[in-house]
């Protein structure tokens, strides 16, 4: 299936850049899985460590989020710039737009796992925590508990996360502590900030080689298009949809 899709790309698009983007997306997906697998393996047998390295874990979480989710969107957006023959600066802005949008999408998805029920999600609720996957809401909840005087609650929560919530009562305890914290709200602010950054990049997308209002000819079928008029509003709408979706 992958090889056939790659062949179709080379037949449809009159440039090798799109095929290169496709192969990079596949590489990033695998690399993202390896980041998560390495992180999970490093936690096995480490329950006796004195502390949970929040910064290290969160950096790994964001990296995994980019490679597994945001990479597809960012490189897809750059591909849009290539297809419509935009200049390198515009392609970079589209790439950055997609990268921030993809991170916002995943963080929001992680939030929905705790705020929506199974029927709304179309899949089991609390699925991440039941599988031992620690996402932004849980990380922020732990940070908040560590900053409070209730060190016992923070220690219990930290030990549960180290065990990937595989111990008896770990899931229920983690959910209870999460609801008592502002972890979900802080994660929500993180996704909103990435939406804002994505839209800042979108504002300057244009081909500087031609007048702003002049139509540009793409490389697919010789069709004349106007990127700004036809697509900018659609991308803005996509960014807003990422943050307002309920499943």
């Amino acid at each position: 299936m992958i090889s056939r899709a790659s062949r179709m790309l080379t037949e449809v698009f009159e440039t090798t850049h799109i095929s290169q983007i496709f192969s990079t997306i596949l590489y990033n997906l695998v690399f993202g899985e390896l980041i998560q697998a390495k992180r999970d393996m490093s936690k096995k047998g480490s329950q006796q460590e004195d502390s949970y390295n929040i910064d290290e874990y969160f950096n790994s979480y964001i990296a995994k989020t980019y490679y597994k989710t945001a990479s597809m969107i960012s490189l897809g957006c750059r591909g849009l710039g290539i297809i419509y023959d935009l200049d390198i600066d515009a392609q970079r802005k589209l790439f950055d737009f997609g990268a921030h949008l993809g991170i916002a999408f995943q963080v929001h998805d992680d939030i929905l796992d705790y705020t929506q029920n199974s029927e709304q999600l179309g899949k089991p609720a609390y699925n991440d925590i039941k599988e031992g996957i620690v996402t932004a809401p849980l990380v922020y909840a732990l940070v908040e508990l560590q900053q409070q005087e209730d060190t016992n609650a923070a220690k219990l929560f930290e030990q549960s996360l180290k065990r990937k919530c595989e111990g008896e009562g770990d899931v229920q305890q983690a959910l209870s502590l999460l609801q008592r914290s502002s972890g979900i709200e802080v994660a929500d602010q993180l996704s909103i900030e990435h939406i804002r950054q994505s839209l800042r990049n979108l504002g300057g997308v244009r081909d500087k080689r031609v007048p702003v209002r002049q139509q540009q000819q793409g490389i697919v079928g010789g069709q004349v298009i106007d990127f700004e008029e036809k697509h900018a509003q659609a991308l803005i709408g996509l960014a807003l949809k990422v943050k307002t979706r309920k499943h």
Side-chain angles (χ1 to χ4, degrees):
M1 183 182 296
I2 292 174
S3 62
R4 185 170 182 178
S6 181
R7 179 179 177 181
M8 290 175 65
L9 285 172
T10 60
E11 292 175 348
V12 173
F13 299 107
E14 301 169 9
T15 174
T16 60
H17 293 305
I18 300 299
S19 295
Q20 291 170 352
I21 284 177
F22 179 69
S23 63
T24 301
I25 289 173
L26 295 178
Y27 172 86
N28 287 349
L29 283 171
V30 174
F31 190 68
E33 289 289 351
L34 291 174
I35 290 177
Q36 182 168 317
K38 180 180 178 181
R39 184 186 65 197
D40 292 343
M41 288 179 65
S42 69
K43 297 303 174 187
K44 290 185 179 297
S46 65
Q47 288 89 343
Q48 302 305 316
E49 292 180 359
D50 292 336
S51 62
Y52 198 80
N53 192 320
I54 295 295
D55 290 336
E56 179 182 325
Y57 191 95
F58 195 76
N59 289 336
S60 174
Y61 166 77
I62 293 296
K64 182 270 299 181
T65 295
Y66 171 74
Y67 284 106
K68 288 186 64 177
T69 303
S71 170
M72 291 184 286
I73 301 176
S74 62
L75 288 167
C77 288
R78 179 171 180 255
L80 182 67
I82 293 173
I83 290 170
Y84 293 127
D85 200 25
L86 302 183
D87 66 14
I88 295 298
D89 183 62
Q91 291 179 32
R92 167 55 63 180
K93 288 180 181 298
L94 284 171
F95 177 91
D96 291 342
F97 164 81
H100 287 293
L101 186 65
I103 292 174
F105 176 93
Q106 186 59 57
V107 173
H108 187 68
D109 195 69
D110 294 340
I111 292 170
L112 292 178
D113 197 49
Y114 297 105
T115 59
Q116 306 295 302
N117 59 42
S118 298
E119 183 178 353
Q120 291 170 316
L121 290 172
K123 61 180 181 180
Y126 310 130
N127 191 58
D128 286 343
I129 194 171
K130 290 176 181 177
E131 293 187 358
I133 300 174
V134 181
T135 55
L138 291 176
V139 173
Y140 283 129
L142 176 58
V143 170
E144 182 177 311
L145 287 172
Q146 289 176 337
Q147 294 173 344
Q148 296 175 351
E149 295 182 358
D150 191 356
T151 56
N152 185 52
K155 185 175 181 179
L156 289 173
F157 194 23
E158 184 176 354
Q159 292 301 320
S160 294
L161 298 185
K162 284 182 180 180
R163 291 190 295 267
K164 297 179 63 179
C165 294
E166 292 177 346
E168 183 177 354
D170 279 352
V171 170
Q172 292 76 11
Q173 176 180 266
L175 288 173
S176 176
L177 292 172
L178 174 63
Q179 296 303 324
R180 286 164 47 189
S181 75
S182 60
I184 291 175
E185 290 77 7
V186 178
D188 188 54
Q189 289 302 312
L190 174 66
S191 67
I192 290 173
E193 178 55 32
H194 277 287
I195 290 289
R196 288 172 177 160
Q197 291 189 47
S198 71
L199 293 176
R200 290 190 192 106
N201 282 287
L202 189 59
V205 175
R206 62 173 60 95
D207 191 336
K208 296 180 179 179
R209 296 171 300 177
V210 297
V212 172
R213 309 305 297 178
Q214 180 178 326
Q215 288 186 328
Q216 304 165 52
Q217 183 168 331
I219 59 174
V220 181
Q223 182 181 4
V224 175
I225 57 91
D226 181 346
F227 178 84
E228 286 196 314
E229 287 295 324
K230 190 172 183 179
H231 302 288
Q233 289 301 319
L235 290 177
I236 292 173
L238 176 63
L240 296 177
K241 179 65 175 177
V242 163
K243 199 69 198 79
T244 57
R245 66 191 179 94
K246 300 299 182 183
H247 53 79

